[in-house]
Amino acid sequence: MVQYNFKKMTVVPCGKDFIDIILSRTQRQTPTVVHKGYAINRLRQFYMRKVKYTQTNFHEKLSTIIDEFPRLDDIHPFYGDLLHVLYNKDHYKLALGQINTARNLVSKIAKDYVRLLKYGDSLYRCKSLKVAALGRMCTVIKRIGPSLAYLEQIRQHMARLPSIDPNTRTILICGYPNVGKSSFINKITRADVDVQPYAFTTKSLFVGHTDYKYLRYQVIDTPGILDRPFEDRNIIEMCSITALAHLRAAVLFFLDISGSCGYSIAQQAALFHSIKSLFMNKPLIIVCNKTDLQPLEGISEEDMKLVTEMKAEAMKTVIGQGGEATNDDGVLLTMSTLTEEGVISVKNAACERLLNQRVELKMKSKKINDCLNRFHVAMPKPRDQKERPPCIPHAVLEAKAKQAAEKKKRTTEKDLENENGGAGVYSASLKKNYILANDEWKEDIMPEILDGHNVFDFVDPDILNRLEELDREEGYTQAEETDDFEMDGMELTPEEQKALAEIRQKKSFLIQQHRIKKSTAESRPTVPRKFDKDREFTSKRMGRQLSTLGIDPAMAINRARSRSVSRRGRKRERSLDKGDTDGAGVVDMDDSSQKSKALDKARKSVKNRNKNARRGEADRVIPNLKPKHLFSGKRSNGKTQRR
């Protein structure tokens, strides 16, 4: 079976891109260094190689274009006529002919110039011949630029064509515009054809696939056809005519009996009779659509007469297939794509008619005789009038009955909810699955307090033993974790208890002092004098502590008093500069928030100075952004990366 896949065709470059591709490849794939000191034979071979390589690349590219585009005389007549309708066969052949001529001209030019290069007597002469050869080849390609652009447009359009197999089982839908063809294909296949309430929504062929009796069928939706002379039909209508003429398919002629498509039944009947020659030797079904708007029985007598004539013409196709004239089933069908009434029956009838016709054609072919000799179909006949019912063992019947009983639907919580008032009324019982000695106990209410005791304290009979084990385990764990020995105050005398309290207080005080010393200067809490209510931090206290340690406190006290400054004797002094880092300018802050604000202000004050990379406020240096030794004089050969 021949498959036509136009999506894999190679892109056709335009004339300028074609030349750039070939010449850049020649530059990359052939040697580029030559000297006049080389022997003349080496020079000739160097330039002959370039000419031959360029000619080979042109020949391969052009041959690929010619071979990949289909030849209209060799492909299926359906595709041949379709391409002729869409692109004009004469223009198509003329463009491919120009490509073939250009390929021959390039080969001839290369052959002539290679012959001349054999007699080149210098580097200059050989190079001139090479330039002339490549120039003439590029000129030939430039002249076929319009043909290349035309073929590229054709390739893009052909890549968008649907993949239609002309030899497979096909159902073809035709009729006037807006009669429901696209709606029908959307219902029976997975195709997504645009459906709009105006004519000629479908402007090209659309393909979908459906299954019937485990066989795949190809469904083609064609654009609408108008009743007018053949030469007046446009490209959209000619696509439908081409499909009807060349595809061996079951034809569904759609008839809008409601008239909502804008065309009367008489106009649709005239179209049917004008194209009925295309229905010969094909299963034909007349489908009366939009019965939800107008039933078939409700149309006028004149319209019914026209429908009857169309049905008589469709009956001829049944007779031509070997059917009986009295069997009119599957010839005139009604349906509605809106309500989906009769859609599946139309699809089944079309598939059945097409399948019967294909089987009949295969039975009439010569190949069937070779197949019939290989097999024999045996048809059993009754030997007497005695009834012989099938014998099924009794055990098998019992097993089947048991299996059927097990398959009965078990009652679920959802079923119980629906039976007992629905959601919000029925409350599922969580106690019905309890495992108890007596099932009557499941719904009993368990008291929380009984005889003044909590019931849950007595649920576990071994709860006291478990508590003792837990206490012992906890005691062992605490003994392992604690490194220091802790004394129980209840076993001591009052004097010992007082001493123990002092020891513990002293220990906590030492820990606190150690933490204060360990902390950094920024995180250490500063206690202002006004908050020292108990007068703990005084020079007298410091003197007492130093005396107890055996140190003379006089020098320390005098030093502390000399550092303190009296507020009354202080004179007004000049304010310090921002950049002054002398310790005298440091001001004590009340809390950490004031300190952080001061630090932020200090950072912001030097921000602009740091941006300009200045050492200080007095830094007025203006660097030379363009040193003269880098920006003057002539540029010499070599690297210029420093500029």
Side-chain angles (χ1 to χ4, degrees), residues 474-638:
E474 187 176 356
Y476 294 149
T477 306
Q478 289 181 354
E480 292 176 358
E481 289 179 354
T482 55
D483 297 330
D484 299 335
F485 176 73
E486 294 290 340
M487 299 179 66
D488 190 2
M490 300 299 294
E491 300 175 357
L492 302 177
T493 61
E495 293 79 6
E496 291 176 344
Q497 291 180 3
K498 186 177 181 181
L500 180 61
E502 292 178 356
I503 292 171
R504 287 177 175 173
Q505 185 177 3
K506 183 70 173 178
K507 181 179 178 181
S508 62
F509 178 74
L510 292 175
I511 292 173
Q512 185 178 3
Q513 292 296 322
H514 175 70
R515 287 175 180 171
I516 292 174
K517 292 178 182 179
K518 190 177 178 182
S519 61
T520 60
E522 293 183 358
S523 61
R524 185 180 302 154
T526 58
V527 182
R529 186 173 297 174
K530 64 178 181 179
F531 294 114
D532 188 12
K533 303 295 184 183
D534 299 332
R535 304 290 292 173
E536 294 181 355
F537 304 100
T538 61
S539 58
K540 292 181 180 180
R541 181 172 175 272
M542 182 177 65
R544 287 196 303 271
Q545 290 181 349
L546 291 176
S547 299
T548 56
L549 295 174
I551 300 172
D552 186 10
M555 294 179 64
I557 293 173
N558 293 333
R559 182 171 178 271
R561 287 176 177 172
S562 65
R563 287 177 61 88
S564 63
V565 180
S566 175
R567 289 183 177 272
R568 291 176 293 179
R570 186 175 179 183
K571 295 182 180 180
R572 184 173 180 179
E573 297 176 356
R574 183 180 178 184
S575 60
L576 295 175
D577 187 61
K578 289 184 179 179
D580 191 358
T581 57
D582 190 7
V586 178
V587 181
D588 291 338
M589 301 297 171
D590 290 343
D591 53 5
S592 59
S593 62
Q594 290 182 352
K595 187 174 182 180
S596 62
K597 288 181 181 178
L599 291 174
D600 289 341
K601 286 186 177 182
R603 290 192 202 100
K604 290 179 180 178
S605 66
V606 297
K607 185 175 181 182
N608 293 329
R609 190 180 73 194
N610 293 339
K611 273 187 177 181
N612 297 329
R614 289 160 56 190
R615 295 180 181 177
E617 292 184 351
D619 190 356
R620 297 286 188 270
V621 178
I622 301 176
N624 188 3
L625 300 179
K626 289 188 176 182
K628 188 172 183 180
H629 71 282
L630 289 179
F631 290 90
S632 64
K634 292 184 180 179
R635 288 183 53 175
S636 60
N637 293 332

Side-chain angles (χ1 to χ4, degrees), residues 143-315:
R143 288 179 179 175
I144 63 170
S147 298
L148 293 172
Y150 172 72
L151 290 175
E152 171 60 15
Q153 290 183 356
I154 290 179
R155 185 201 66 81
Q156 292 177 2
H157 195 280
M158 290 174 68
R160 293 191 291 267
L161 287 177
S163 298
I164 298 174
D165 187 359
N167 302 311
T168 191
R169 295 168 291 273
T170 307
I171 298 174
L172 202 61
I173 308 171
C174 65
Y176 256 95
N178 206 21
V179 295
K181 303 185 295 297
S182 300
S183 301
F184 177 71
I185 191 175
N186 288 343
K187 294 293 183 183
I188 66 171
T189 68
R190 297 179 64 183
D192 187 14
V193 186
D194 188 22
V195 178
Q196 297 294 340
Y198 49 81
F200 287 109
T201 308
T202 305
K203 297 181 181 179
S204 61
L205 300 177
F206 283 88
V207 180
H209 294 84
T210 186
D211 293 332
Y212 178 73
K213 290 186 177 180
Y214 304 103
L215 294 174
R216 178 61 58 90
Y217 285 80
Q218 179 179 252
V219 185
I220 300 177
D221 178 22
T222 63
I225 309 173
L226 299 179
D227 183 23
R228 52 185 176 182
F230 184 81
E231 56 274 7
D232 293 342
R233 289 196 168 102
N234 56 26
I235 295 177
I236 297 176
E237 296 175 88
M238 289 304 298
C239 291
S240 302
I241 299 298
T242 304
L244 286 170
H246 294 289
L247 292 178
R248 190 176 64 182
V251 181
L252 299 180
F253 186 84
F254 270 59
L255 194 67
D256 184 3
I257 58 177
S258 68
S260 61
C261 64
Y263 304 97
S264 63
I265 296 179
Q267 290 175 305
Q268 298 178 60
L271 172 65
F272 175 83
H273 290 293
S274 65
I275 62 173
K276 65 181 179 182
S277 59
L278 301 174
F279 302 150
M280 299 303 296
N281 301 324
K282 296 174 185 171
L284 176 62
I285 298 176
I286 298 172
V287 181
C288 297
N289 193 17
K290 303 184 182 180
T291 54
D292 55 316
L293 299 177
Q294 175 65 55
L296 182 62
E297 296 80 11
I299 62 176
S300 61
E301 295 182 359
E302 299 170 351
D303 293 339
M304 182 61 76
K305 184 178 179 181
L306 294 173
V307 173
T308 306
E309 292 176 358
M310 295 167 65
K311 181 180 178 182
E313 291 290 339
M315 286 294 297

